[in-house]
C-alpha cells in the first residue's frame, strides 16, 4: 500500500501562512493572516489619509489624536502586503505627510524662481526613505505570525515588533545621511496631549514606540474579535466551541491594548526637584534676519537693541537674544563688541547672544555669554542644517544645480563643546535652532547639570509658515521630557516660555518685537528619559534587528532543509515506507 507524504507544518486549509490558531474557516469573509487586510484599491486612499492625518496631528493644526488614526490606517494597509505593495504604500504615506509637513522649505530662497527645489528635494528624499523603510513593517506582519501560532504572539509580540520597526525607521531617518532629519517623529506630535508626560520616562522615541504598539494591539484585538465571531457563526452548534483551546477568552484579547492605553494616560510626569529660580528677559527683535533679507550692516543688532530697551528699567539675571541676533562676528568686529559691552552694562546682566563667528578657517554658529567686559563662555551649534547652513558634498550638488548651490555661500562647521554654560552659578542648557530636534544635544545638556533650558532660533527664513509652530512643539516636549523650564526664543517669533510641565508661561506673537520677562523655576535631578533614553533606543533597535535575523534564518532553513533531506516516505536505499510490513 502506498502512503501519502505527511503535510508540512503550516499547511492548513484556508490558511496559507500556517497559523491554525488564527486561520479562517474555509470560505470565511475575514482575511486570514498573510492575506491583505485591505485590498490595494482601499489601501492606497487609506495610506493617503494616513499621511495627511499625521501632518494634521502636528502644529499648526495640532490635532494630536489624529496621530493614532494615522498610524492605524497606515498599518492596516500593510497587513499581508507584498514587498512591492509596501513600497508603494510607504511612498504614498510619505508623500502625503512630508510634502505638506515640510512645505515651509519653499520659503528658504525667497522669491527665487527655483525656490520650490529645496522643498521638493527634502520631501522627495524623505518620501523615498519612507517607501524603503516601510517594507520591514510589512515583513513583520508576515514573518512573525507565520512562524508562531500562539495568540499571545499576535496580541503582545507582534505589537512590540511592529512598533520597534517603526521606531527604527524614525531613528534611521533622524540620523542619516548628513545627520538626518528627525523632524516628523510620531512622539513629537503629542506635546499637548495627555500622554506627553510618558516622554519623561521613555523619551520621545519610547513614546512613539508605545503609540505604535497601542495601534497594533488595537488592530489585532479587532481582528481577533472578527475571527471569533466568524468561528462562532460557522460552528455547527453556533457557539464556536470546536476549538476552545485555540483562542483566548473573548474578553481577554483587548487587554493588552486597554492596559497600554491606561498606562499611557495615567503615568504622571517624572518629578524633578525645585532648585531656585532665575529671572530672564527674552527679547524678540523682529529684525531682517532671513538669509535672503537685504539690509544695512548691523540692522538686526539694532532691532535687538531697540526691543531690549525696556530691560534697562528691569532687574534680570540674564538677557536672552535669539539665533542670529547679532549680524557681525563680535570677536572680529571691535565696534560690535563695544556695543555689546555697553548694552550688558546698561542691562546690569550678561547677554546670551548668538552670531556667526570664525575660528581659524572654520565658521561656527556660536552662542556667547557676553558681559560688560566681553565674552565669558561660548557654545557652537552641534548640528548645522545641511543645505541650509552648509552644503555637504558641494562638488556633487554644485554640478547638479550650480545656480542654487552657489547662492549658499556660508559653510558652518559642527560644534563639539558641551551644550551648557554657567550663568552666575546657574547651569543653562542650550540648543541652537535645529539642535532642538536632536535628543543627544538635550540629553547632554541635562546630564551636564543644566537646571533650565534656553533655545535660540531664527525662523525669519520661514515667515508665515508652520515651521516655527512645529519647532515650538519640540521645545514644549523638551520641557516635559527633561522636567526643566524652557525658553524658546525666535528672531521673528513665535517665542514662548514653558514651565517644567510644558505649560505656557509667556508668549510673543510672530512678526512683532517684544520682551518676555519670566521668573524661571530651576530644577535638579535627571528624568529616566535623559538617563535611559539612549540605551532604550539601542535596545529597541538591537531587539528588532535580532528578531528579524532569527525569523529570516528560520525561513531560510525551512527553504533549504527539505531540499537536501529525503523524506521518510522516499523509496531510496535504506529507507522504509512506514506503511509497508503492516
Amino acid at each position: 500500500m502506498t502512503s501519502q507524504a505527511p503535510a508540512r507544518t503550516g499547511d492548513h486549509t484556508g490558511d496559507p501562512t500556517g497559523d491554525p490558531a488564527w486561520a479562517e474557516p474555509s470560505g470565511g469573509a475575514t482575511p486570514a493572516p498573510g492575506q491583505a487586510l485591505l485590498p490595494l484599491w482601499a489601501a492606497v486612499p487609506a495610506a493617503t489619509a494616513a499621511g495627511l492625518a499625521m501632518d494634521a496631528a502636528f502644529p499648526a493644526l495640532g490635532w494630536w489624536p489624529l496621530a493614532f488614526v494615522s498610524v492605524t490606517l497606515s498599518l492596516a494597509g500593510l497587513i499581508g502586503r507584498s514587498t512591492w505593495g509596501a513600497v508603494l504604500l510607504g511612498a504614498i504615506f510619505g508623500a502625503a505627510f512630508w510634502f505638506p509637513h515640510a512645505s515651509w522649505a519653499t520659503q528658504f530662497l525667497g522669491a527665487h524662481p527655483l525656490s520650490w527645489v529645496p522643498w521638493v528635494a527634502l520631501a522627495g528624499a524623505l518620501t523615498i526613505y519612507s517607501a524603503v523603510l516601510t517594507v520591514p513593517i510589512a515583513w513583520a506582519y508576515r514573518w512573525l505570525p507565520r512562524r508562531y501560532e500562539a495568540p499571545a504572539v499576535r496580541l503582545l509580540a507582534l505589537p512590540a515588533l511592529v512598533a520597534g520597526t517603526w521606531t527604527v525607521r524614525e531613528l534611521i531617518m533622524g540620523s542619516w545621511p548628513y545627520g538626518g532629519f528627525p523632524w516628523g517623529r510620531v512622539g513629537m506630535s503629542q506635546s499637548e496631549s495627555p500622554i506627553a508626560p510618558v516622554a519623561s520616562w521613555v523619551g520621545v522615541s519610547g513614546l512613539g514606540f508605545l503609540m505604535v504598539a497601542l495601534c497594533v494591539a488595537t488592530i489585532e484585538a479587532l481582528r481577533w474579535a472578527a475571527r471569533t465571531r466568524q468561528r462562532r457563526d460557522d460552528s455547527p452548534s453556533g457557539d464556536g466551541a470546536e476549538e476552545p483551546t485555540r483562542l483566548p477568552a473573548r474578553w481577554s484579547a483587548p487587554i493588552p491594548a486597554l492596559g497600554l492605553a491606561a498606562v499611557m494616560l495615567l503615568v504622571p510626569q517624572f518629578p524633578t526637584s525645585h532648585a531656585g529660580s532665575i529671572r530672564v528677559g527674552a527679547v524678540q527683535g523682529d529684525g531682517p534676519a532671513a538669509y535672503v533679507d537685504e539690509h544695512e550692516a548691523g540692522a538686526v543688532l539694532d532691532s535687538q537693541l531697540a526691543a531690549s530697551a525696556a530691560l534697562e528699567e528691569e532687574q534680570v539675571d540674564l538677557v536672552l537674544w535669539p539665533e542670529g541676533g547679532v549680524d557681525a562676528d563680535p570677536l572680529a568686529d571691535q565696534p560690535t563688541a563695544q556695543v555689546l559691552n555697553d548694552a550688558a552694562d546698561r542691562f546690569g546682566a550678561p547677554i546670551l547672544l548668538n552670531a556667526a563667528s570664525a575660528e581659524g578657517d572654520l565658521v561656527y554658529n556660536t552662542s556667547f555669554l557676553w558681559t560688560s567686559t566681553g565674552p565669558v563662555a561660548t557654545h557652537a551649534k552641534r548640528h548645522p542644517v545641511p543645505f541650509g547652513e552648509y552644503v555637504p558634498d558641494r562638488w556633487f550638488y554644485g554640478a547638479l544645480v550650480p545656480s542654487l548651490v552657489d547662492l549658499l555661500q556660508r559653510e558652518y562647521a559642527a560644534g563639539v563643546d558641551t551644550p551648557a554654560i554657567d550663568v552666575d552659578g546657574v547651569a543653562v542648557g542650550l540648543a541652537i535652532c535645529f539642535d532642538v530636534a536632536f535628543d543627544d544635544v538635550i540629553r547632554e545638556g541635562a546630564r551636564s547639570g543644566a537646571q533650565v533650558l534656553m533655545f535660540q532660533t531664527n525662523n525669519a527664513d520661514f515667515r508665515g509658515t508652520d515651521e516655527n509652530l512645529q519647532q515650538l512643539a519640540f521645545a514644549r516636549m523638551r520641557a516635559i521630557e527633561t522636567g526643566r523650564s524652557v525658553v524658546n526664543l525666535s528672531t521673528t517669533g513665535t517665542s514662548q516660555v514653558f514651565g517644567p510641565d510644558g505649560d505656557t508661561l509667556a508668549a510673543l506673537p510672530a512678526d512683532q518685537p517684544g520682551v518676555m520677562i519670566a521668573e524661571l523655576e530651576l530644577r535638579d535631578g535627571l528624568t529616566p528619559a535623559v538617563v535611559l533614553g539612549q540605551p532604550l533606543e539601542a535596545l529597541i533597535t538591537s531587539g528588532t534587528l535580532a528578531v528579524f535575523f532569527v525569523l529570516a534564518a528560520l525561513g531560510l532553513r525551512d527553504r533549504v532543509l527539505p531540499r537536501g533531506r529525503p523524506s521518510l516516505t522516499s523509496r531510496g536505499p535504506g529507507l522504509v515506507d512506514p506503511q509497508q510490513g503492516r
Side-chain angles (χ1 to χ4, degrees):
M1 181 175 66
T2 303
S3 65
Q4 296 292 326
R8 290 174 52 193
T9 301
D11 290 342
H12 298 281
T13 303
D15 179 18
T17 67
D19 188 348
W22 289 75
E24 292 307 315
S26 179
T30 305
Q35 296 177 349
L37 181 64
L38 297 178
L40 191 60
W41 62 263
V44 167
T48 305
L52 296 174
M54 184 64 77
D55 178 56
F58 287 84
L61 291 178
W63 297 343
W64 58 264
L66 289 182
F68 293 92
V69 176
S70 170
V71 173
T72 302
L73 285 175
S74 175
L75 295 178
L78 296 175
I79 296 174
R81 193 65 56 195
S82 68
T83 296
W84 287 111
V87 170
L88 172 64
L89 296 181
I92 292 172
F93 170 83
F97 172 53
W98 286 114
F99 275 90
H101 193 65
S103 59
W104 40 261
T106 58
Q107 298 289 104
F108 180 62
L109 296 179
H112 192 281
L114 295 179
S115 61
W116 54 271
V117 172
W119 170 51
V120 172
L122 175 61
L126 293 168
T127 295
I128 294 172
Y129 242 149
S130 297
V132 174
L133 295 177
T134 294
V135 171
I137 298 177
W139 287 351
Y141 268 114
R142 296 179 69 86
W143 291 1
L144 186 63
R146 178 178 299 175
R147 174 61 52 182
Y148 299 104
E149 300 177 355
V153 171
R154 289 298 182 91
L155 300 173
L156 297 174
L158 185 61
L161 180 59
V162 173
T165 308
W166 185 294
T167 303
V168 171
R169 179 175 70 174
E170 290 188 341
L171 291 174
I172 293 174
M173 294 177 71
S175 59
W176 185 87
Y178 310 130
F181 190 73
W183 200 260
R185 291 188 290 173
V186 64
M188 278 296 183
S189 68
Q190 302 300 295
S191 65
E192 296 189 72
S193 86
I195 67 170
V198 175
S200 66
W201 296 85
V202 296
V204 176
S205 292
L207 175 59
F209 175 91
L210 294 177
M211 291 172 64
V212 177
L214 175 60
C215 294
V216 179
T218 301
I219 292 171
E220 293 306 310
L222 294 174
R223 296 178 72 198
W224 171 86
R227 290 190 180 90
T228 303
R229 182 167 54 252
Q230 187 149 2
R231 286 178 181 276
R232 183 188 62 234
D233 293 343
D234 291 349
S235 172
S237 61
D239 60 4
E242 72 279 14
E243 281 192 290
T245 62
R246 286 293 192 183
L247 294 171
R250 181 181 306 175
W251 53 267
S252 65
I255 287 179
L258 293 175
L260 183 55
V263 168
M264 293 172 67
L265 286 169
L266 298 177
V267 166
Q269 184 182 5
F270 184 87
T272 49
S273 57
H274 179 78
S277 64
I278 182 173
R279 186 171 173 83
V280 176
V283 184
Q284 177 176 294
D286 194 38
Y291 188 69
V292 297
D293 282 347
E294 296 182 1
H295 57 80
E296 298 288 336
V300 179
L301 174 57
D302 289 344
S303 68
Q304 285 298 132
L305 290 169
S308 302
L311 293 177
E312 297 178 21
E313 307 299 325
E314 298 285 343
Q315 292 291 324
V316 296
D317 301 308
L318 178 68
V319 175
L320 178 65
W321 284 358
E323 178 191 28
V326 178
D327 45 352
D329 183 351
L331 297 183
D333 189 272
Q334 184 56 40
T336 297
Q338 188 58 52
V339 168
L340 296 174
N341 291 350
D342 295 342
D345 185 59
R346 293 196 306 273
F347 300 145
I351 308 171
L352 181 56
L353 56 90
N354 176 275
S357 180
E359 185 176 321
D361 294 333
L362 300 177
V363 178
Y364 296 94
N365 184 334
T366 309
S367 292
F368 298 88
L369 184 63
W370 204 281
T371 69
S372 59
T373 59
V376 295
T378 64
H379 166 65
K381 187 173 185 178
R382 185 70 61 82
H383 297 277
V385 182
F387 306 102
E389 292 177 302
Y390 76 103
V391 179
D393 300 322
R394 181 181 281 268
W395 62 271
F396 174 74
Y397 296 104
L400 293 179
V401 281
S403 63
L404 292 182
V405 171
D406 290 345
L407 286 175
L408 191 67
Q409 295 300 315
R410 60 189 180 187
E411 284 287 331
Y412 286 132
V416 295
D417 53 19
T418 301
I421 60 172
D422 182 89
V423 180
D424 194 22
V426 175
V428 177
L430 304 176
I432 302 171
C433 199
F434 192 41
D435 277 356
V436 72
F438 290 87
D439 296 339
D440 63 325
V441 176
I442 306 303
R443 291 168 183 163
E444 185 178 344
R447 289 196 299 265
S448 298
Q451 299 168 298
V452 63
L453 300 177
M454 298 188 186
F455 303 151
Q456 298 163 292
T457 185
N458 178 9
N459 305 114
D461 289 317
F462 309 109
R463 288 179 186 267
T465 72
D466 293 347
E467 188 272 346
N468 67 326
L469 298 178
Q470 293 171 8
Q471 191 169 332
L472 272 175
F474 281 36
R476 185 193 304 273
M477 183 61 83
R478 296 310 189 185
I480 297 168
E481 184 182 17
T482 62
R484 300 289 191 275
S485 300
V486 167
V487 183
N488 188 83
L489 180 65
S490 170
T491 317
T492 58
T494 304
S495 301
Q496 290 191 5
V497 177
F498 301 106
D501 57 358
D503 284 349
T504 302
L505 304 180
L508 290 170
D511 302 324
Q512 293 184 25
V515 178
M516 299 181 294
I517 300 176
E519 193 81 23
L520 300 178
E521 182 182 2
L522 305 178
R523 290 287 184 94
D524 284 334
L526 298 179
T527 65
V530 171
V531 177
L532 301 176
Q534 186 174 7
L536 179 60
E537 290 172 355
L539 178 62
I540 292 173
T541 300
S542 60
T544 301
L545 295 178
V547 171
F548 270 106
F549 178 81
V550 170
L551 292 175
L554 292 175
L556 182 62
R557 184 198 64 179
D558 288 349
R559 287 175 176 270
V560 171
L561 287 184
R563 298 177 182 175
R565 185 176 59 192
S567 169
L568 290 177
T569 59
S570 300
R571 300 301 186 100
L575 296 178
V576 178
D577 187 334
Q579 295 295 329
Q580 292 181 351
R582 286 191 176 182

